[in-house]
Every structure is written in structure tokens, then in C-alpha cells.
Amino acid sequence: MNKTPLLLALLTLTGALAATVPDASAQGRVRGRAVAHSADGGRAAVTGAAARGEHGAHARGRKIISDGQGNVAGRSGGYVQGANGGSAGRQGSFYRNADGSAGRQGSAFVEGPNGGSAATSGSVARDADGSVNASRSTTATGASGNTYNGSTTVNDGQISHTGTCTNAAGETIACRGGN
């Protein structure tokens, strides 16, 4: 697949978005979209948007590519900044192949203006024969400094989870919810 139209669209869209977000005094929004088709039936689509105003700022984008043979892949992401200092973001990607295999991965974070934060990431994959494996890990810290760290995995239908909570001094404490 000829990726030149996609790359040109990405560069144009990225330039337009980047030109609007960094200036803290600027207010407004920008959007963009581009689609390119290839001779073999493939398609590439890119969208993006960004805005800044008195309540904060955000930016998001998405890209999807198919090759005309049944294979598709994509990525997306977003970011927000609140007027009072909190922020959050996420990103993810996926694929689906003509042989039936597929997968997805993603992560997200949030940071509160008063010190709390959380982050998570995970993935899931299915082989062409239907076997599924997945994992997710999460960390959360409250404004007081108490922290939760946990992970969950799925392998061949078996699920396992571990989770630990600690206080601000690093000492293990009981997790709420009986963990």
C-alpha cells in the first residue's frame, strides 16, 4: 500500500494541531480529517481535533489503516488539561488480521490537581486458533499518599489477580473491598 498520502495527511494534521495547542493565551479549536484509498482496496483515515479555552484544553486523534486483504490496524489517543491543573490522557491501538487473530492494547492516566493520580495499562490478544491472553495493571495514589498496585492476567482461560495497598510510609495496609 502506498503510504505517501497518509503521511502527508498526518503531517498536515499534526502541524495544524500543534500550532494551536501550545499557546496558553490562545483560545479556539481546530479539526482535521483525511482519507486516502489505495489501488489494492486499502484505506487510511486520520482524524484529529484540539481546543483550548477558559476551562482547559484537549487534543485527540485517530488513525486507521486497512490493506484490502482483510487486515486492519489503528491507533487513537487523547489528552485533557483542566483549568485547575488536573490532567488525563489515554492511548490505544488495535489490529485485526485476515487469519482471525486480533488484539488491542491501551493505557490511561489521570492526575488530580490536589495530588491524587492513577494509571492503568492492558492488552488482549487472540490467536488465529482462538486462544486468548490478556493482562491489565493499575496503580492509584490518593492525595494522602496511600497507593494501590494491582494486576490481572488471563492465560488459557485461567484468571489471576494480585493487588497490594500501602500507606504513605510504604507499609502494607488492607485494601478496601477485601483485597
Side-chain angles (χ1 to χ4, degrees):
M1 176 189 331
N2 184 353
K3 295 182 181 163
T4 303
L6 174 64
L7 294 174
L8 291 174
L10 280 172
L11 290 173
T12 302
L13 186 58
T14 303
L17 293 175
T20 62
V21 175
D23 183 2
S25 65
Q27 292 192 20
R29 63 179 87 179
V30 63
R31 292 185 158 196
R33 179 174 66 144
V35 178
H37 298 272
S38 64
D40 65 356
R43 177 180 168 185
V46 181
T47 62
R52 178 178 294 278
E54 63 185 63
H55 299 291
H58 75 87
R60 61 185 163 87
R62 179 176 60 189
K63 167 178 78 169
I64 299 174
I65 300 172
S66 65
D67 65 3
Q69 306 299 314
N71 302 302
V72 179
R75 304 183 68 81
S76 66
Y79 177 79
V80 296
Q81 176 76 47
N84 296 325
S87 62
R90 64 150 199 89
Q91 68 82 30
S93 64
F94 75 92
Y95 67 91
R96 186 191 71 220
N97 295 323
D99 67 2
S101 60
R104 185 188 187 310
Q105 73 81 30
S107 63
F109 77 92
V110 63
E111 295 177 352
N114 299 320
S117 65
T120 185
S121 64
S123 64
V124 61
R126 180 185 69 213
D127 295 337
D129 66 5
S131 300
V132 176
N133 294 306
S135 66
R136 167 136 330 259
S137 62
T138 302
T139 300
T141 302
S144 66
N146 290 355
T147 300
Y148 166 79
N149 284 301
S151 70
T152 303
T153 59
V154 178
N155 288 314
D156 296 326
Q158 300 296 319
I159 300 172
S160 65
H161 173 76
T162 60
T164 305
C165 294
T166 57
N167 62 20
E171 301 164 331
T172 301
I173 58 174
C175 294
R176 286 188 176 176
N179 195 14

